[in-house]
Amino acid sequence: MPVVLFVVSSLVLLILVSGGYTFFVACGRRKDFPWFDEQEIKKTSYGKHYDYLLAGDKFIKEHNAQPVYMESFDGTKLHAMWIPAEKPKGTVLMAHGYRSNKLLDFGLAFDLYHNLGMNILVPDQRGNGKSGGKYITFGVKESRDVACWIAYHNKTFGEYELVLSGLSMGASTMLYLADQDLPENVKGIIADCGFTSAKDIISVVFRRVVHLPPMASVWVADLFARLFAGFSLTEKDTRKTLKNSKLPVFMVHGVEDGYVPCEMTEEGYTACTSPKQLLLVEGADHGTSFVVDREKYLECILSFLKANVAGFQEA
């Protein structure tokens, strides 16, 4: 009996430690990566994207991007950049991915949207960059931040028609808003390589890294998320929000994505009941669809904008 008790106690302790570690590693804020240290970034999987950073940084400097700040729904101070167009047809509000950077995720897209006549509003997601926040919440609280940015945009810059664009966690952030009652000037969502839910993507990564079934540890991680960060890993699911979507959606995913399974976008697309477009890019890994097939990506974006934003319908 003592041996059984010891084994059970040890197993419970292992699950608690594993779940707690999973939460703090996945959600806890870390020191920002030295994105402009060429030697350091080229040691990582982002090494091949170094030129994106330089292109984005150059664009920001040349166009006098304005830093803006606001307090979100829970008092967290958030930072963003505002880049106005000369003759705006609308605004694109962009959300970067998990532990990423607006320059890495959108460096090449800034010029694209600016040339199309779009204002650009691109925040640092909570827990990243110059924004506050102790924890990353995989799009759950971040989606509420976006709702606050929409209100800030309309009050500060005017009610230009808005398109919400996100990559990876940023895509899920935007898709979590698909079923919400947003201001009428929000016209659609562009979602590139998003995941279905925090629980799903943490489970995928856990299994990939640890090579063990993630269920018990993820349950404990969810408990830690509720206790320490005030959200649940199961709180939002793109399949549910898209089932009741009130906005047109353009979804993109690289078929060879080794981080977020392409099937997660396909499941969301199948569930979506609003007007929708889907682009699956052969040969593209996570977040690289725009680079691998830029011509087709641009064609789809233009089609989406012409269908949903008045300024492009008049062109």
Side-chain angles (χ1 to χ4, degrees), residues 122-192:
V122 54
D124 290 332
Q125 296 248 52
R126 64 171 55 217
N128 292 272
K130 295 180 181 179
S131 286
K134 190 175 180 180
Y135 297 106
I136 294 169
T137 69
F138 285 82
V140 176
K141 288 188 176 182
E142 289 84 354
S143 63
R144 297 181 66 184
D145 293 336
V146 169
C148 293
W149 279 117
I150 292 169
Y152 177 90
H153 167 274
N154 290 351
K155 182 179 179 180
T156 307
F157 305 118
E159 295 188 11
Y160 296 108
E161 291 190 318
L162 269 163
V163 173
L164 310 180
S165 175
L167 187 141
S168 191
M169 188 187 85
S172 300
T173 296
M174 298 309 195
L175 292 175
Y176 291 159
L177 290 168
D179 63 348
Q180 299 297 299
D181 291 319
L182 299 174
E184 291 185 2
N185 65 316
V186 180
K187 297 301 180 181
I189 299 173
I190 298 173
D192 189 333

Side-chain angles (χ1 to χ4, degrees), residues 34-244:
W35 293 106
F36 288 100
D37 186 322
E38 184 174 3
Q39 297 303 316
E40 287 301 314
I41 198 169
K42 288 193 173 179
K43 294 176 184 176
T44 75
S45 60
Y46 293 105
K48 59 186 177 182
H49 304 309
Y50 184 71
D51 290 344
Y52 300 1
L53 294 173
L54 299 182
D57 189 53
K58 180 181 178 183
F59 177 88
I60 288 168
K61 290 174 179 175
E62 289 178 348
H63 292 82
N64 298 315
Q66 305 167 22
V68 294
Y69 294 87
M70 70 152 192
E71 280 195 5
S72 194
F73 67 96
D74 60 356
T76 301
K77 190 174 183 180
L78 302 177
H79 164 266
M81 291 187 319
W82 169 251
I83 307 171
E86 291 183 13
K87 296 180 180 179
K89 296 179 180 178
T91 297
V92 57
L93 199 170
M94 311 169 93
H96 66 73
Y98 176 76
R99 298 198 192 282
S100 192
N101 177 287
K102 54 186 174 288
L103 297 179
L104 180 64
D105 287 355
F106 300 118
L108 293 180
F110 291 153
D111 190 57
L112 161 66
Y113 282 111
H114 190 265
N115 288 339
L116 288 175
M118 299 286 280
N119 302 315
I120 297 169
L121 180 61
V122 54
D124 290 332
Q125 296 248 52
R126 64 171 55 217
N128 292 272
K130 295 180 181 179
S131 286
K134 190 175 180 180
Y135 297 106
I136 294 169
T137 69
F138 285 82
V140 176
K141 288 188 176 182
E142 289 84 354
S143 63
R144 297 181 66 184
D145 293 336
V146 169
C148 293
W149 279 117
I150 292 169
Y152 177 90
H153 167 274
N154 290 351
K155 182 179 179 180
T156 307
F157 305 118
E159 295 188 11
Y160 296 108
E161 291 190 318
L162 269 163
V163 173
L164 310 180
S165 175
L167 187 141
S168 191
M169 188 187 85
S172 300
T173 296
M174 298 309 195
L175 292 175
Y176 291 159
L177 290 168
D179 63 348
Q180 299 297 299
D181 291 319
L182 299 174
E184 291 185 2
N185 65 316
V186 180
K187 297 301 180 181
I189 299 173
I190 298 173
D192 189 333
C193 61
F195 48 76
T196 46
S197 71
K199 173 182 172 292
D200 288 346
I201 190 60
I202 289 175
S203 295
V204 166
V205 175
F206 185 97
R207 187 183 296 274
R208 186 184 301 146
V209 172
V210 182
H211 304 292
L212 289 172
M215 191 167 293
S217 294
V218 173
W219 284 343
V220 175
D222 182 54
L223 176 62
F224 274 80
R226 292 170 187 264
L227 290 174
F228 289 94
F231 82 105
S232 171
L233 303 183
T234 61
E235 190 170 335
K236 290 286 187 178
D237 190 310
T238 59
R239 292 163 294 197
K240 294 179 181 178
T241 57
L242 286 167
K243 185 178 180 180
N244 299 297

Side-chain angles (χ1 to χ4, degrees), residues 240-255:
K240 294 179 181 178
T241 57
L242 286 167
K243 185 178 180 180
N244 299 297
S245 179
K246 300 177 181 180
L247 292 169
V249 178
F250 168 40
M251 302 181 75
V252 187
H253 214 116
V255 174

